[in-house]
Every structure is written in C-alpha cells, then in structure tokens.
Amino acid sequence: MDNFIYLDNAATTKPFAELSKIYEDYSSNFYNPSAVYNPAVNVKVLIEDTRRSICKALGGEQGNIIFTSGATEANNIALSSINLRGKYNLIVSLVDHPAVFNKAKQLQNAGENIIYAPTDNNGTVRLNDIKNLVSDKTVMVSIMHVNNETGAINDIKQICDVIKSINPKTVIHVDGVQAVGKIKVDLQSLGVDMYTISAHKINGPKGIGALWVKKGIKINPIVYGGGQEQGYRSGTENVFGILSLGYCIGKVVAEQEQNYNKIQLIKNAFLQQLTLNNVQFKLNSGNNCSPYIISLSFNNVRGEVLLHNLESHNILISTGSACSSRKPDNRTLKAMGLNDNLIMGSIRISFSAYDNYDVNNIADTIATEVKNLQKIIRGNNG
Ligand code: PLP
C-alpha cells in the first residue's frame, strides 16, 4: 500500500494507526454490552459515552445517535421512516448517492411519489428549485451535504430554512458522509432532522456508521431482533467500530480547519501544475466545493483507460464514484449537463489531510498520460 500514491479517499481512507490501540483494548474487554455483569456494563458505558461525544462533536446534543453498519444502512433507515401512503411525496436530488437514490427508486417502484430535484451545473441543488418543489404534501427531503463525485457543497442551512418556511412538518435528512471532518458541521445551526455519517471515510474501519436523529423525530427500524440501539437497530453492537468511529470523529472535527487549509493549498497547487502542462481539462468541481474532491474531464480520453495507465505509475484514482465505476454512465455528471465525451473522460481525485503529496509529479504524470491517449485517438481518427 505504501508504494501507492493513493488519491481515492472519497471511496475510502487509510485507518488511523491509533485504531490498533482501540482494538487491543476492545480485545481484552470483549464482553457483550447487553450482559449484566460489571465488565460488560463498562463496555455499555463506553458505547453511551461515545454516542454522547459524537453528538457533541457535531453540535447535535439535541439529538441521538443510532449506530449502523455504515452510511448505506443509515440512509435506508432515514428513508424507511416515512409513510407516503401514495399521496405524499419525498424529494431527493438527482445527484444523491445510490444509498439514497436507489432507496427512493425502490419506493417509487412500490407506487410512491418521489420528486427528483435537479442541480445547477456545479452539482448543487438550487434554492429556487427547492422552493418550487416543496409543498404541504412533502413528508421528507433528503439532500447530501457534500457530493461524493464532485465535492459540490449544498447550502444545507438555507435549504432547511426554505423547506421549514413552506412546510415545517417536512423531515430533512442529510447525507453528511463527505462533509464530516472536511467542512464545518454544526447540526443545530444547520437545522437538519437526521444526518448520516460513516467511519471509513474519516480514517475509521469499514462497516460502521451512524444516523443522527433530532429529538422528537420518529424513525422506524429496518432490522428487528434483540432491541439494541433503543430498538431501532437490533444486533450485538460493533463495539470496536463504535469506539473507533468516536475516536475518528473527535480527531477529524478537532483538526477540520487546519486540514481544510492544507488540502485547499494542495488542490490549488495541483490544478496550477496541470494548467502549466498545457493540457485542456474541464473542472467539474466548481467554486463552492470541498477541496478534498476534484472531478476533471478530458476530451477524447477514456477515464477508465487513464485510470489504468496511472496505476502503472502507482497512482490510484477513480472514475466517478467507486459504487458506479463499473457502469458506463455517470448520473451526477449527466445531471450537471456534461456531454457523453466529457463524461467518458472524467476522473475523480480525492485527497486525505493525513497524507502528503508531490502534486507536481502527480499533475505532470496525469498530463503526460492524457496527451498520450489523445494522440492515440487522433491517430486512429486520422
Ligand atoms: N453516502 C455517500 C455520500 C458516500 O460517499 C458513501 C460512500 O461511498 C455512502 C453514502 C455509503 O457509505 P457506506 O460505505 O458507509 O455505506
């Protein structure tokens, strides 16, 4: 792994080394948190402390955390908590992650009314569209905070204000997977009702995430069993995962501002060097974007071929999102109005604040490979 220049941190991140200490402690305190003897009760106490510390780190003390197997499950719980009864509606955005989008599609296939909010050509949801789409029939709006393919940031506070001014009963769910630790998140001032997080995007282990739920908001379980997680998510707790998630949230939130500044400099230096190489590209990550994610499109290049050519230089990137990389098209870039040629030639580069990069070397290598591929295409056409 250490030989690679890993630039796919929106897909997953390298776990913090400190997690091995958490694992060691967990191994000697492995008791089932539901058991009633003292060592087990101590584990239960640790879980409850972690729940509270996550709420505090996210400014969500007026709510509760339900631990899940990840963001996909948290998003599914959120969207399964509404009852549309064929006459009410759910609004999701056209560029939402499949964990929201495909759940909405499933509800639609079951006969429910789903409204898809379009985006501007930066991939952000427009306030005016939200104004026009929300009505007294809107039960829930689910909008992502930061887009996982372009880094586009939705103005969640303004969106919440508009929605609540039209229909105060509308429940607002936000997928915050790519936002936590990357930009400032304060759940109380944002005004959201539910917020999804995932550990493996912030240097935690895979298979653990959470849904934050504001007090008074009703959710429905999608898994039934022994009644853990207040009955909302049965199953013996992933204790190592929960403690690790708590650790990672604490660290990335505390270091968020300095990390943001570091990554902003890296992004700017990378784009500057790419430009100096005289290679034409379209930057799909506009002004209001998280600097951690850069989506770029090149004309007359297949993103997948470029990905493999870069891999031969030990540079690991992605085409679009990891979840859709085997599919030929890209829903997000399409919604942003890109043509097929640019969609085909799109790549995603995503940084970690806990790594260092030789951006000149990365940009030079990408530019050389892009020019080589464009030469081959020109040769084939000539
Ligand atoms: N939501 C967003 C915005 C994501 O980027 C991802 C990961 O790709 C998910 C949800 C799914 O997260 P998990 O892998 O924890 O289920």
Side-chain angles (χ1 to χ4, degrees):
M1 159 81 205
D2 284 334
N3 291 332
F4 291 115
I5 300 162
Y6 181 66
L7 295 168
D8 198 17
N9 290 278
T12 198
T13 50
K14 184 177 174 178
F16 286 134
E18 302 91 290
L19 299 194
S20 58
K21 171 79 176 78
I22 296 175
Y23 189 79
E24 249 174 59
D25 291 347
Y26 154 75
S27 298
S28 37
N29 293 288
F30 57 87
Y31 309 99
N32 188 321
S34 298
V36 291
Y37 33 83
N38 262 335
V41 172
N42 291 341
V43 176
K44 179 88 182 142
V45 168
L46 280 180
I47 291 178
E48 296 313 312
D49 286 349
T50 304
R51 211 186 293 285
R52 273 190 298 276
S53 75
I54 294 176
C55 286
K56 188 159 184 246
L58 299 179
E61 282 153 306
Q62 78 291 14
N64 189 16
I65 286 280
I66 312 295
F67 292 113
T68 64
S69 63
T72 299
E73 187 186 336
N75 285 345
N76 271 261
I77 293 177
L79 268 65
S80 299
S81 296
I82 50 172
N83 193 347
L84 299 174
R85 281 177 271 159
K87 53 182 180 170
Y88 297 102
N89 64 57
L90 158 71
I91 300 176
V92 300
S93 90
L94 271 177
V95 302
D96 259 295
H97 188 273
V100 165
F101 192 82
N102 289 340
K103 175 62 195 170
K105 280 270 172 227
Q106 181 256 323
L107 290 169
Q108 188 175 25
N109 292 339
E112 300 295 4
N113 188 14
I114 310 300
I115 298 175
Y116 297 94
T119 70
D120 60 17
N121 50 19
N122 286 319
T124 41
V125 175
R126 280 177 295 238
L127 224 48
N128 248 347
D129 287 323
I130 291 292
K131 244 180 229 167
N132 294 333
L133 296 175
V134 175
S135 69
D136 57 355
K137 296 236 176 315
T138 305
V139 172
M140 177 183 273
V141 177
S142 181
I143 300 275
M144 68 201 321
H145 202 164
V146 171
N147 186 277
N148 52 299
E149 296 190 44
T150 63
I153 302 174
N154 281 312
D155 189 336
I156 296 299
K157 178 161 173 43
Q158 277 202 336
I159 289 174
C160 287
D161 287 349
V162 163
I163 294 168
K164 296 283 181 181
S165 73
I166 299 169
N167 181 354
K169 286 195 193 141
T170 302
V171 173
I172 302 166
H173 166 253
V174 171
D175 178 339
V177 166
Q178 302 286 352
V180 167
K182 313 284 166 51
I183 61 171
K184 189 168 166 40
V185 174
D186 183 79
L187 295 173
Q188 174 141 28
S189 60
L190 286 176
V192 303
D193 296 307
M194 297 187 199
Y195 199 86
T196 291
I197 58 180
S198 177
H200 74 100
K201 311 287 185 173
I202 50 170
N203 308 87
K206 294 167 183 59
I208 181 75
L211 181 67
W212 176 86
V213 185
K214 191 170 160 182
K215 268 190 198 117
I217 299 292
K218 202 179 139 333
I219 58 167
N220 293 326
I222 56 172
V223 177
Y224 291 85
Q228 291 90 343
E229 293 299 297
Q230 306 124 68
Y232 295 123
R233 206 273 180 172
S234 286
T236 303
E237 294 88 339
N238 175 356
V239 179
F240 166 69
I242 290 170
L243 301 185
S244 301
L245 174 61
Y247 174 81
C248 293
I249 294 251
K251 182 171 163 77
V252 300
V253 168
E255 295 169 1
Q256 181 264 316
E257 215 173 299
Q258 81 196 49
N259 286 346
Y260 183 96
N261 294 337
K262 170 180 171 175
I263 295 299
Q264 186 72 62
L265 290 176
I266 287 173
K267 174 184 174 174
N268 291 347
F270 167 75
L271 290 176
Q272 198 179 1
Q273 186 65 18
L274 199 60
T275 308
L276 282 178
N277 270 280
N278 281 326
V279 64
Q280 298 269 317
F281 62 90
K282 180 180 181 320
L283 180 62
N284 304 317
S285 307
N287 281 339
N288 193 23
C289 275
S290 156
Y292 286 84
I293 299 176
I294 306 178
S295 168
L296 296 170
S297 293
F298 302 97
N299 262 316
N300 302 324
V301 163
R302 278 184 66 100
E304 206 181 313
V305 178
L306 178 57
L307 178 153
H308 289 301
N309 288 3
L310 291 173
E311 191 179 350
S312 72
H313 298 276
N314 282 349
I315 297 176
L316 304 182
I317 58 148
S318 130
T319 59
S321 86
C323 303
S324 60
S325 60
R326 285 184 203 288
K327 295 181 192 155
D329 62 351
N330 181 310
R331 176 164 46 82
T332 300
L333 298 181
K334 214 176 249 179
M336 289 164 58
L338 264 73
N339 66 35
D340 285 350
N341 193 7
L342 285 174
I343 290 176
M344 193 178 71
S346 71
I347 58 168
R348 179 185 70 179
I349 290 167
S350 47
F351 300 109
S352 163
Y354 300 99
D355 205 349
N356 292 307
Y357 304 98
D358 179 350
V359 283
N360 288 354
N361 170 46
I362 296 165
D364 293 350
T365 311
I366 292 176
T368 305
E369 288 302 333
V370 167
K371 285 178 191 166
N372 285 344
L373 289 173
Q374 287 174 332
K375 227 183 275 165
I376 293 169
I377 293 229
R378 269 203 306 276
N380 286 346
N381 291 343

